Amino acid sequence: MPIKKEKRKYNLTSTGFRQKIEQNLDDNANLIKKMRKEILSQGANTLFDIQKTLNKFDVDNSNKIDIDEFNRLCNEYNINLIPDEIKTVFTCFDPSRTGKINYQDFLNIIHGSLNDFRSGLVDQLYNRLNQNNRSTLELKAILSSFNDKRMGQEATDDFKDNFISHHDFFGKGKTDVTYNEFVNFFEILSNDFKEDSEFEKYMNNR
């Protein structure tokens, strides 16, 4: 059984500045909600595309972007916030005013976490694919398991393309997939399903 991620109000990777970032997010909750709505209304595919764009920005693999790159991201994906609002969101993730933010923290706040029911379904799938109880999964094993004739070839190809790009975002050249990476993928994908029953049906088809 994989180790569950610690349950927190905000799903942040930062440690030293976690409390300050959480307070910033609380103080600007309505603005964060507005940005989330702008992005999530475009669907999970847009979130996967944003990952690709961030990978292009991050030429030094630092997992950080500056305010100019953040503005470019907002412009490219038609996020309808005024410049001061965009700057405020950026500084929420930069409490020490370094001029750069960890963009994984930003994405985690945008796509959100799985509720307990959906998290259980993802764990079931992970365990089914991890019958040898390894610490990671092979990417090819995950992709080969998603040949969903009921969903159609287009849906299957879409899933595989998104998972590969997601792994490129996380893996940075590695071949195996970690539990947290696996869960993070479905945290993004989950946004395309309004009802738990719809998500359950999708997961049961895996």
Side-chain angles (χ1 to χ4, degrees):
M1 174 68 68
I3 299 173
K4 297 279 287 183
K5 290 186 293 183
E6 182 181 356
K7 285 286 186 179
R8 289 182 175 272
K9 179 180 180 180
Y10 294 113
N11 185 14
L12 299 172
T13 62
S14 300
T15 53
F17 301 113
R18 184 188 298 275
Q19 289 184 338
K20 290 182 179 180
I21 294 175
E22 288 176 344
Q23 186 60 56
N24 289 343
L25 294 173
D26 283 340
D27 292 343
N28 295 279
N30 288 335
L31 183 54
I32 298 299
K33 183 178 180 180
K34 180 179 179 181
M35 177 168 270
R36 288 190 77 241
K37 184 177 180 180
E38 286 282 329
I39 297 176
L40 294 182
S41 66
Q42 301 179 48
N45 281 342
T46 292
L47 283 165
F48 291 120
D49 285 341
I50 287 175
Q51 286 184 332
K52 294 177 185 177
T53 300
L54 288 169
N55 258 348
K56 292 177 183 177
F57 289 164
D58 187 18
V59 293
D60 61 353
N61 289 333
S62 66
N63 295 321
K64 296 181 182 296
I65 57 171
D66 60 30
I67 185 61
D68 290 336
E69 291 165 330
F70 193 66
N71 275 310
R72 285 167 57 194
L73 186 77
C74 292
N75 289 333
E76 184 166 339
Y77 291 95
N78 300 312
I79 299 171
N80 189 28
L81 273 70
I82 63 174
D84 282 349
E85 289 177 325
I86 293 173
K87 183 178 180 180
T88 298
V89 172
F90 183 88
T91 55
C92 281
F93 297 92
D94 184 24
S96 59
R97 302 298 188 266
T98 64
K100 291 192 174 185
I101 65 170
N102 181 320
Y103 54 73
Q104 184 60 61
D105 283 340
F106 167 72
L107 283 178
N108 285 350
I109 296 304
I110 295 301
H111 65 62
S113 301
L114 296 166
N115 63 30
D116 289 341
F117 177 75
R118 297 189 184 198
S119 181
L121 294 173
V122 172
D123 277 353
Q124 288 176 25
L125 176 59
Y126 183 90
N127 291 335
R128 191 159 68 243
L129 295 174
N130 190 26
Q131 293 182 359
N132 294 327
N133 200 28
R134 298 176 67 238
S135 59
T136 59
L137 296 176
E138 292 183 0
L139 177 61
K140 62 181 181 180
I142 296 173
L143 299 179
S144 65
S145 71
F146 281 79
N147 293 307
D148 193 345
K149 295 180 180 179
R150 287 167 290 186
M151 299 294 290
Q153 188 61 42
E154 184 176 350
T156 299
D157 289 344
D158 193 42
F159 172 89
K160 290 182 177 181
D161 288 344
N162 282 334
F163 201 98
I164 290 171
S165 69
H166 181 74
H167 182 62
D168 287 342
F169 178 77
F170 266 93
K172 307 294 185 184
K174 298 178 182 178
T175 58
D176 286 351
V177 176
T178 67
Y179 170 70
N180 283 344
E181 178 188 342
F182 188 82
V183 171
N184 191 272
F185 175 85
F186 287 100
E187 286 177 338
I188 296 175
L189 191 66
S190 175
N191 286 288
D192 277 349
F193 300 89
K194 293 183 178 180
E195 303 294 334
D196 284 349
S197 58
E198 296 174 355
F199 187 72
E200 181 179 25
K201 181 179 179 181
Y202 179 87
M203 295 300 290
N204 287 339
N205 284 337
R206 303 300 100 208

